[in-house]
């Protein structure tokens, strides 16, 4: 079977990114022919050269289209449009596929997958990584009312035209079915994590990292990910400074890049307990999570963000580090159900500092929660199992002609 994949951003484990689809494509390509239409955006951002850029068996067609998080809305829209034009042309040139897999975000990548599927008269599967256009609209990136209406109409039409829909969280699934899409046509496939890479976070690797970064005797709090507008970073910085004044053995690491990096850099300059760590390759990030006593997964208090499926949530639990979440959605329900973490409302630095102070004084409680999270991760977050589910959905969809 030939599977044609539309994904604007391809990464591998040498990149400072989740590399979800690297794992999924590697599994699926063992059974089927896979052609990926993407861009070279991340290829120049590799931090190491340990992994091949493409999984074995995957064919790639890639456009040189610049993109980065510092781009404004207009420049991002241009990049999305350039990918659509390239992907549409290439999608009509490749050997006819049996099924098409369209991966959003952005929504335009799913749209071009649907267009090519219609033109070539093959079924397509829609993977929903984030709720677009709800997220950019909530963040004020689409001010015109007519544009918002058009985008919502486009979104619903894509759900309707897809043979199957793959949301990355239970809350996303609920959102899709609430639009009238039959539940039988929707399968939740969690973002998940790479348990083989998590196994690299050994005691020796953690000890070496502690020594290299002079963290011996420190209780580490970790935020790893994008420093974006949606991530409530000012709250974390304020909580870190408050906590540092009360717990001299605490060190809060902020690992990543993004909009709020200057804010973190300024805080680190005035508070030695706050450190800014550069982005790490995918295969190394797990040791940083295991080094931490607790990690924080934060978002602004917006209903659309409650549905998120953040990689750092899965990665932390996979190595036995409990998580504090700040959104009200399924991650809150998950950590409470499994005893793998805690909830603190977004935008409340005092409450976050108080909870962390309480937890850091109870290392046994942190360890117990971490072990519960690790057990849940083994059962529910393995990307090899998720890849098998995606493969089955694609195989079934290919029969719906």
């Amino acid at each position: 079977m030939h599977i044609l994949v539309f994904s604007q951003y391809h990464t591998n484990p040498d990149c400072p990114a989740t590399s979800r689809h690297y794992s999924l494509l590697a599994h699926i390509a063992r059974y089927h022919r896979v052609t990926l239409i993407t861009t070279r955006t991340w290829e120049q951002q590799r931090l190491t050269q340990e992994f091949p850029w493409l999984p074995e068996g995957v064919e790639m067609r890639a456009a040189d289209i610049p993109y980065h998080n510092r781009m404004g809305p207009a420049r991002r829209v241009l990049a999305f449009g350039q990918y659509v034009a390239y992907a549409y042309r290439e999608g009509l040139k490749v050997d006819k596929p049996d099924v098409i897999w369209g991966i959003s975000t952005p929504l335009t990548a799913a749209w071009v997958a649907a267009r090519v599927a219609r033109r070539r008269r093959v079924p397509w599967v829609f993977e929903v990584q984030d709720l677009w256009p709800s997220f950019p609209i909530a963040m004020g990136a689409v001010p015109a009312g007519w544009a918002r209406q058009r985008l919502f109409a486009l979104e619903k039409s894509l759900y309707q035209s897809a043979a199957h829909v793959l949301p990355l969280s239970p809350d996303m699934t609920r959102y899709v079915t609430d639009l009238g899409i039959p539940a039988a046509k929707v399968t939740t496939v969690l973002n998940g994590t790479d348990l083989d890479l998590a196994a690299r976070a050994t005691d020796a690797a953690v000890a070496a990292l502690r020594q290299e970064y002079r963290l011996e005797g420190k209780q580490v709090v970790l935020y790893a990910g994008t420093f974006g507008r949606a991530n409530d970073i000012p709250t974390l910085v304020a909580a870190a400074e408050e906590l540092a004044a009360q717990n001299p053995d605490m060190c809060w690491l902020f690992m990543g890049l993004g909009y709020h990096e200057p804010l973190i850099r300024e805080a680190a300059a005035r508070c030695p307990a706050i450190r800014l760590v550069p982005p790490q390759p995918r295969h190394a990030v797990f040791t940083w999570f295991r080094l931490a006593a607790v990690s924080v997964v934060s978002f602004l208090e917006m209903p659309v963000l409650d549905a998120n499926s953040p990689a750092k949530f899965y990665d932390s639990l996979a190595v036995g580090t409990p998580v504090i979440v700040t959104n009200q959605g399924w991650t809150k329900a998950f950590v409470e159900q499994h005893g793998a973490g805690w909830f603190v409302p977004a935008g409340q630095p005092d409450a976050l500092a108080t909870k962390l102070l309480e937890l850091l004084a109870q290392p046994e409680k942190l360890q117990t929660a971490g072990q519960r999270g690790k057990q849940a991760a083994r059962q529910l977050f393995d990307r090899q199992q998720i890849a098998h589910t995606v493969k089955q959905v694609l195989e079934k969809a290919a029969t719906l002609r």
Side-chain angles (χ1 to χ4, degrees), residues 192-210:
T193 192
D194 301 289
L195 297 181
D196 57 332
L197 298 183
R200 295 185 174 204
T202 61
D203 291 343
V206 170
L209 199 60
R210 277 193 182 278

Side-chain angles (χ1 to χ4, degrees), residues 103-315:
I103 299 166
S104 170
T105 58
L107 192 64
T108 43
W111 179 81
V112 73
R115 293 280 294 184
V116 173
R118 182 177 178 183
R119 180 77 179 270
R120 304 205 69 169
R121 298 183 180 180
V122 297
W124 78 288
V125 171
F126 182 5
E127 180 178 315
V128 186
Q129 292 191 301
D130 291 301
L131 293 180
W132 277 51
S134 298
F135 171 62
I137 288 173
M139 295 300 293
V142 189
W146 65 268
R148 293 195 294 268
Q149 291 177 354
R150 290 284 298 274
L151 285 171
F152 279 125
L154 171 62
E155 176 198 30
K156 187 171 183 179
S157 72
L158 291 174
Y159 292 138
Q160 292 171 331
S161 71
H164 208 87
V165 182
L166 297 172
L168 265 61
S169 80
D171 289 353
M172 290 186 200
T173 294
R174 190 174 304 110
Y175 173 90
V176 173
T177 55
D178 283 350
L179 291 176
I181 306 304
K185 183 177 161 175
V186 185
T187 300
T188 305
V189 286
L190 296 175
N191 196 341
T193 192
D194 301 289
L195 297 181
D196 57 332
L197 298 183
R200 295 185 174 204
T202 61
D203 291 343
V206 170
L209 199 60
R210 277 193 182 278
Q211 183 176 21
E212 180 181 356
Y213 285 85
R214 303 188 304 278
L215 291 167
E216 294 95 338
K218 295 293 185 182
Q219 292 180 294
V220 173
V221 178
L222 176 64
Y223 173 86
T226 304
F227 306 150
R229 292 175 177 88
N231 296 106
D232 202 19
I233 298 300
T235 293
L236 303 194
V237 170
E241 293 193 274
E242 183 176 338
L243 183 59
Q246 301 181 67
N247 183 344
D249 295 326
M250 186 278 304
C251 184
W252 193 315
L253 305 181
F254 288 86
M255 185 170 72
L257 290 171
Y259 176 81
H260 284 299
E261 182 181 342
L263 175 69
I264 299 169
R265 194 174 296 280
E266 291 168 8
R270 64 178 177 262
C271 180
I274 297 175
R275 297 193 199 177
L276 179 61
V277 179
Q280 302 294 309
R282 171 71 181 162
H283 59 80
V285 74
F286 294 95
T287 304
W288 288 91
F289 275 108
R290 188 164 175 224
L291 171 72
V294 61
S295 71
V296 180
V297 178
S298 59
F299 292 97
L300 296 173
E301 188 176 357
M302 291 183 176
V304 68
L305 298 177
D306 289 346
N308 280 358
S309 191
K312 48 187 170 282
F313 176 80
Y314 302 94
D315 296 346

Side-chain angles (χ1 to χ4, degrees), residues 2-12 15 22 25 29 33-44 46 52-64 83 86-87 90-91 94:
H2 183 200
I3 302 169
L4 179 58
V5 184
F6 290 85
S7 176
Q8 186 157 349
Y9 310 113
H10 172 70
T11 65
N12 84 337
C15 297
Y22 191 92
L25 291 172
R33 178 186 174 190
V34 176
T35 302
L36 170 66
I37 300 180
T38 185
T39 66
R40 298 189 179 278
T41 300
W42 281 92
E43 197 166 355
Q44 303 306 315
R46 296 169 75 175
W53 182 239
L54 284 176
E56 184 178 354
V58 176
E59 309 164 32
M60 182 181 76
R61 301 194 179 200
D64 291 310
Y83 173 73
Y86 172 82
E90 294 301 314
V94 301

